[in-house]
Amino acid sequence: MVSAAGGPSNLVAAEREPLLHVDDRSDTSKSYASVEVRDVPPTEEDADRIDCLLSTASLIFNRVIGTGIFATPSVILRSSGSVGLSLVMWLLGAAVALCGTAVYIELGTGLPRNGGEKNYLEVMFRRPKLLVTCIYAMVGKRLLAPFLENVNKSGFRAESGAHPLSCPTDVLHAWNPKETPSPTTARLAGVLCITVALFLHGTMLKTGLRIQNTLGLFKLSVLIGIALSGLASLLRVKGFKLENRPHNFEWDKMWEGSLRGGANAFVTGLFNVIWCFIGYSNANYALAEVRDPVRTIKRAAPIAMLSVTLVYFLVNIAYLAVVDKKEIVESGRIVAALHFGKLWGVGAERVVSVIVAFSTLGNILAVLFTHGRVVQELGREGVLPFSSLFASNKPFGAPFAGLFEQWLVTSALVLLVPPGDAYLFMLNLSSYPLALINMFVSGGLLFIHLPDRWLSKSLKGLRASYAWHPPFKAWTLVVLFFFLSNIFLVAVPLMPPSHGYQVYEYLPYWVGLRSHLWRAALPIDCGFSCTSS
């Protein structure tokens, strides 16, 4: 999938060297609001906070593994119509995720800085200066709540009326499964959950990372356990033997019902599968704080994503080995609860609530940690109000202002946004920009990868000005596939929903897209002028 740049004698040195050095004075460096951007090396308090491979990998698989794998398989099975086609869809989602991982490894080794896509877009789209930065700040993920980002990729989204309170709700359900918590109790518990994350990452950095790493390992261990339990059931191991085994893997039944819902249902299911793997770029937002970032991201990202994709596929097989297809599709319950109930009784389903709660907490911690760093980078650019405050690591040696901004927006959404169309509208506002950003990032990288014979003389000169020679390069076909997958993610919401499926109860399905276009055009409509102080 990848090729190393340079000869064997330069391999060790190359994998440790970033693309841009402190002394590079290229067209991509600039000063704004008395803050030098990208030419200034990370401060000593920024460096080596994430000091091991596990912490970097944990940022990725904590972000990828949220609530989706415990609930989404039933949605995917319903969309595909058959067991065989649903597994094919999971394989396609894994392929997109692995290609995205390769793309972001190349970008991360080329620009090992905090900020992620903000940096890549600035390098690729340079004129007018700061225009892409301001659009990114408005349209992108910067003012999104970690709760929304977690549910955003869960796959069951509008279909199940999911809300951003899964962590506290699951804890309360495990505590007292006979009583459904009131909306007020669930909302207050949700704010308490995000407050704990703010306190850990804002004031106790090392402790927060240790807890985050522990939750990441816990999630992987649980998923491995589910996968092994399914294998044990298939092999009829004592203690896992079912009286009425499902026949999901019999060849004549495995493909029964394929595409019964039509092409629209298949496309919607594939859309949800791809979202279940989102998170491979999470470590790129905090690379300036990783010890030996180029070497670490080249190892941590493949380890994390290969582990997740393999475990996801095996967990789906485990679910289908224990629970009949019809029950998964028609029961209306999350498939993980059905799996536990079939093997160990209804009482074991309480364990699922605890697992999902811890999984969600790990996801919130990972999202809050990295998003706070991107808000800090936007402060260093000078494009946010009170930029010096957001750019600072005071008073606890962490970007507390950026983390607090995430806490404030999340808490406001949890407490103030009512369920129904209003919540789903906010949810869709958080998903669509990520697909747009990935499309432009991968499209820019694809342009850099194109063969010279496909470019005019002026385009060759433009590409040469990038001087893009990262220590790690993804194959061009990999970049192309990832670019096309993001065009797919951008295009699908433009399609009318399939018959019998509604995105909103009262609002038109395209309302979120219109809002995004308005926000993207706002800097230009307002006579935006890009000047440096």
Side-chain angles (χ1 to χ4, degrees):
M1 185 177 290
V2 297
S3 58
S9 61
N10 297 323
L11 183 60
V12 175
E15 74 172 1
R16 294 176 177 273
E17 288 298 317
L19 173 64
L20 296 184
H21 298 270
V22 176
D23 294 331
D24 287 344
R25 295 288 170 179
S26 67
D27 194 39
T28 64
S29 63
K30 57 183 178 289
S31 296
Y32 184 74
S34 302
V35 179
E36 282 199 342
V37 180
R38 232 185 353 269
D39 279 3
V40 178
T43 62
E44 290 185 5
E45 59 183 6
D46 278 344
D48 293 353
R49 290 178 178 178
I50 306 173
D51 57 1
C52 69
L53 187 70
L54 173 61
S55 294
T56 308
S58 177
L59 283 174
I60 297 172
F61 53 65
N62 261 314
R63 173 67 177 91
V64 177
I65 305 171
T67 58
I69 189 58
F70 303 105
T72 306
S74 59
V75 178
I76 307 307
L77 187 57
R78 190 181 307 119
S79 298
S80 65
S82 70
V83 171
L85 191 57
S86 70
L87 294 177
V88 170
M89 292 166 71
W90 280 101
L91 288 175
L92 287 173
V96 172
L98 293 176
C99 289
T101 302
V103 166
Y104 275 92
I105 293 174
E106 175 173 344
L107 295 167
T109 55
L111 289 169
R113 304 279 182 171
N114 283 4
E117 299 105 339
K118 181 193 79 70
N119 298 324
Y120 315 142
L121 291 170
E122 287 174 341
V123 168
M124 295 171 182
F125 305 97
R126 304 177 185 179
R127 296 288 185 269
K129 286 186 176 181
L130 288 180
L131 176 61
V132 71
T133 307
C134 292
I135 292 177
Y136 179 79
M138 294 190 66
V139 179
K141 312 187 302 296
R142 298 315 96 212
L143 297 180
L144 301 182
F147 269 132
L148 286 182
E149 290 238 341
N150 176 59
V151 181
N152 177 26
K153 54 193 281 302
S154 63
F156 50 95
R157 295 159 53 119
E159 291 191 348
S160 68
H163 53 78
L165 303 173
S166 55
C167 176
T169 301
D170 283 313
V171 170
L172 293 171
H173 176 74
W175 182 265
N176 186 1
K178 295 182 179 180
E179 183 177 344
T180 301
S182 68
T184 301
T185 301
R187 288 172 184 258
L188 291 175
V191 173
L192 177 62
C193 182
I194 191 66
T195 302
V196 169
L198 170 68
F199 177 75
L200 288 173
H201 282 327
T203 63
M204 305 169 64
L205 182 62
K206 292 295 184 183
T207 301
L209 285 174
R210 290 190 190 101
I211 293 174
Q212 186 172 282
N213 294 348
T214 302
L215 289 172
L217 292 174
F218 168 77
K219 287 194 275 189
L220 277 180
S221 300
V222 167
L223 292 179
I224 291 171
I226 292 175
L228 291 176
S229 68
L231 177 62
S233 178
L234 283 175
L235 297 176
R236 304 183 70 82
V237 176
K238 186 177 181 181
F240 297 89
K241 192 175 179 180
L242 298 173
E243 292 183 4
N244 298 313
R245 295 179 60 189
H247 303 283
N248 294 325
F249 295 117
E250 293 181 3
W251 188 257
D252 58 333
K253 295 185 177 182
M254 189 172 176
W255 302 96
E256 187 179 77
S258 294
L259 294 177
R260 181 175 294 167
N264 273 7
F266 175 81
V267 167
T268 302
L270 187 58
F271 181 84
N272 284 324
V273 168
I274 293 173
W275 274 111
C276 280
F277 289 96
I278 292 295
Y280 38 77
S281 63
N282 201 45
N284 291 56
Y285 300 126
L287 279 181
E289 301 180 31
V290 175
R291 179 179 297 172
D292 198 357
V294 173
R295 185 181 181 89
T296 301
I297 194 65
K298 287 172 64 175
R299 288 156 176 76
I303 289 173
M305 288 309 300
L306 286 171
S307 301
V308 169
T309 52
L310 177 62
V311 169
Y312 268 24
F313 190 75
L314 293 177
V315 165
N316 274 278
I317 291 177
Y319 290 153
L320 293 166
V322 173
V323 188
D324 185 70
K325 168 193 167 183
K326 185 177 181 180
E327 188 173 359
I328 293 175
V329 171
E330 297 179 358
S331 68
R333 299 162 62 198
I334 67 172
V335 65
L338 294 173
H339 178 90
F340 274 68
K342 288 284 185 181
L343 287 178
W344 299 294
V346 178
E349 295 183 15
R350 295 178 65 178
V351 177
V352 178
S353 296
V354 177
I355 292 171
V356 173
F358 280 122
S359 181
T360 305
L361 178 59
N363 185 280
I364 291 168
L365 285 168
V367 173
L368 186 68
F369 181 90
T370 53
H371 281 30
R373 270 73 187 166
V374 180
V375 174
Q376 183 182 51
E377 290 303 305
L378 290 170
R380 289 173 174 172
E381 291 274 12
V383 298
L384 296 179
F386 310 106
S387 290
S388 59
L389 174 65
F390 285 109
S392 173
N393 279 323
K394 296 178 180 178
F396 303 108
F400 190 84
L403 296 170
F404 179 79
E405 178 270 335
Q406 292 285 289
W407 175 88
L408 183 65
V409 175
T410 301
S411 299
L413 291 172
V414 169
L415 293 174
L416 302 178
V417 178
D421 281 1
Y423 168 69
L424 294 175
F425 175 73
M426 297 302 299
L427 185 64
N428 289 327
L429 283 182
S430 71
S431 62
Y432 200 69
L434 181 57
L436 281 172
I437 290 168
N438 278 340
M439 184 182 72
F440 281 107
V441 168
S442 56
L445 188 61
L446 181 62
F447 168 71
I448 295 174
H449 276 250
L450 288 177
D452 286 343
R453 65 180 181 275
W454 292 9
L455 301 176
S456 64
K457 186 176 181 180
S458 59
L459 290 179
K460 288 179 184 178
L462 174 61
R463 186 173 64 180
S465 69
Y466 292 136
W468 185 256
H469 305 291
F472 176 102
K473 294 200 73 173
W475 287 347
T476 301
L477 287 178
V478 167
V479 181
L480 174 62
F481 182 72
F482 184 62
F483 175 62
L484 294 176
S485 71
N486 282 286
I487 292 178
F488 170 79
L489 291 176
V490 169
V492 167
L494 300 174
M495 299 168 53
S498 57
H499 180 70
Y501 174 81
Q502 285 184 298
V503 179
Y504 303 105
E505 187 175 357
Y506 301 106
L507 298 175
Y509 72 93
W510 43 260
V511 66
L513 307 182
R514 183 173 180 177
S515 174
H516 288 308
L517 293 175
W518 177 82
R519 288 198 297 166
L522 184 61
I524 302 172
D525 290 344
C526 293
F528 179 86
S529 177
C530 298
T531 58
S532 297
S533 300

